[in-house]
Amino acid sequence: MNVVGGERSSIVDKWAPAMAVVVANTVTGSVNALVKKALDGGVNHMVIGAYRLAISAFILAPLAYFLERKTRPKITLRLLIDHFISGLIGASLVQFFFMLGLSYTSATVSGAFLSMMPAITFALSLILRMESVRDLKSETGMLKVMGTLICVSGALLLTFYKGPQISHFHSHPEALQNNNNHQSKTNNWLLGCLYAAIGASFFSMWMLFQGTLNIKYPCKYTSICLMSVFGSFQCALLSLYKRRTVNDWVIDDRFVIFVIAYAGIVGQAMSTVATTWSIKKLGAVFASTFSPIMLISATLFDFLILHTPLCLGSIIGSVVVVTGLYVYLWGKNKEMKAAATMCPPIQNEDKYNTNDNNTNNNGSRLSV
């Protein structure tokens, strides 16, 4: 019985992180489709962003307090400024541009741009000289560059080729009326793709910034909670660009209220916790290989539940983006394996010497 229980425990430990990141990406895709539906109703997109981040902060605050109260370092003015910047580039500006692009395009197109995150991050790291250009001549470097270029090609295809509709699911009277009311947004497809690309770029910048912030402040739940608090206030200020009326903040539509609650609790707070835990267990590279699930989830949810028509350009462009993503991740995985091979394990003699040195130094040890 103990053997059987141990085997079940090992299976759960092995598959639980993968299932968590799959569920997180599936939920994120459904959130994008639901938010798109709410935006079509004329809701101020930054009001949705502010409420969503406020709910996320409310959910994460008790987790941060109970799980990290013994390990949380002191909050300094510099750390508050860093989290303000984190909220600006990783929450408010991402919400501003991404949801603006979502309102002009579709959940499928927006999800495709989010799936480009690893490639966009790699391109930004090259521009900021965080990635060595000399390494691009290697096999892994060529694969990463090739994957990035394929992703960019898919993004250009999504932007400039909408294509014919391959389904007529969206033909009932409400859908036709909805299309007529939003004909102007359909004509701004190019502008929507540009906004989605800017939003994805800001999120990539946040990932690079968060890498340094995690070193200075390793408490992830508290860090995400602070980012959500600052982001909610920033979204409230950015909402003034469109309309300066209190009525925007009074939401009486039950569907919109459900979308905001679902996006804040499940899509923002819980999915962030699940993704963070999965990255800790599986690594960032392996966890990011599941990001196309978000694109598939958004497409299926948009088509089957919300009855949005599928366009040929969106499908082809999404397939190209996913292909480029996996080419990039292939190169990144080979790079990590090569780096692990170049770092041989410590021999026994070295361990004994290290222990002797630590003993002579009053037992002091630097923990990694």
Side-chain angles (χ1 to χ4, degrees), residues 11 17-18 49 57 134 351:
I11 292 175
R134 181 179 56 187
K351 290 183 179 179

Side-chain angles (χ1 to χ4, degrees), residues 55-274:
I55 293 173
S56 174
F58 181 78
I59 297 297
L60 291 175
L63 291 176
Y65 176 76
F66 289 107
L67 296 179
E68 298 174 340
R69 58 181 176 177
K70 295 182 180 180
T71 60
R72 183 169 48 244
K74 183 180 179 181
I75 298 291
T76 62
L77 178 61
R78 178 61 186 175
L79 286 173
L80 285 177
I81 295 175
D82 288 339
H83 283 95
F84 178 86
I85 297 174
S86 177
L88 182 65
I89 62 177
S92 57
L93 290 180
V94 170
Q95 298 274 355
F96 181 84
F97 286 105
F98 178 76
M99 286 201 290
L100 197 58
L102 181 62
S103 64
Y104 288 151
T105 56
S106 66
T108 300
V109 173
S110 300
F113 278 100
L114 283 181
S115 297
M116 293 173 56
M117 292 295 307
I120 296 176
T121 306
F122 171 67
L124 288 175
S125 64
L126 284 178
I127 296 174
L128 299 175
R129 296 184 178 181
M130 300 176 68
E131 188 91 14
S132 177
V133 180
R134 181 179 56 187
D135 296 336
L136 299 182
K137 296 181 181 180
S138 62
E139 180 184 0
T140 58
M142 293 296 293
L143 285 174
K144 290 194 292 184
V145 171
M146 186 183 303
T148 303
L149 293 177
I150 294 174
C151 283
V152 172
S153 301
L156 292 175
L157 186 60
L158 283 168
T159 303
F160 294 105
Y161 179 66
K162 187 175 182 180
Q165 294 184 7
I166 61 175
S167 66
H168 300 282
F169 213 165
H170 210 193
S171 58
H172 50 83
E174 290 183 4
L176 293 176
Q177 183 180 0
N178 189 58
N179 281 339
N180 292 330
N181 292 336
H182 297 86
Q183 187 65 35
S184 59
K185 291 184 178 180
T186 304
N187 295 333
N188 288 329
W189 183 272
L190 178 63
L191 188 61
C193 291
L194 177 62
Y195 286 144
I198 294 174
S201 299
F202 270 116
F203 198 72
S204 294
M205 292 174 60
W206 173 79
M207 292 182 68
L208 295 175
F209 179 80
Q210 193 69 16
T212 59
L213 181 58
N214 285 339
I215 297 175
K216 296 187 292 184
Y217 197 79
C219 299
K220 295 181 179 179
Y221 296 109
T222 306
S223 182
I224 295 170
C225 182
L226 288 174
M227 182 192 74
S228 299
V229 171
F230 284 119
S232 61
F233 285 106
Q234 293 162 357
C235 285
L237 292 176
L238 288 173
S239 68
L240 299 177
Y241 97 100
K242 191 174 183 180
R243 288 190 303 267
R244 301 182 180 182
T245 174
V246 182
N247 294 331
D248 286 348
W249 295 89
V250 180
I251 299 175
D252 52 3
D253 191 326
R254 292 183 179 179
F255 175 75
V256 178
I257 294 175
F258 166 75
V259 170
I260 292 175
Y262 179 73
I265 298 174
V266 182
Q268 189 76 30
M270 292 186 177
S271 66
T272 303
V273 171

Side-chain angles (χ1 to χ4, degrees), residues 274-349:
T275 302
T276 303
W277 179 69
S278 300
I279 290 175
K280 182 179 179 180
K281 295 290 186 179
L282 302 174
V285 175
F286 186 73
S288 62
T289 59
F290 294 91
S291 60
I293 295 177
M294 175 182 58
L295 174 60
I296 298 172
S297 172
T299 303
L300 292 178
F301 201 92
D302 211 18
F303 176 66
L304 298 176
I305 307 300
L306 302 180
H307 306 315
T308 302
L310 293 177
C311 296
L312 182 62
S314 299
I315 295 179
I316 297 176
S318 299
V319 171
V320 174
V321 167
V322 172
T323 303
L325 172 65
Y326 279 116
V327 171
Y328 168 83
L329 292 174
W330 181 24
K332 186 67 176 177
N333 189 46
K334 290 173 70 71
E335 181 184 54
M336 293 181 66
K337 288 182 177 179
T341 305
M342 293 176 63
C343 298
I346 301 176
Q347 301 296 327
N348 290 334
E349 294 182 359

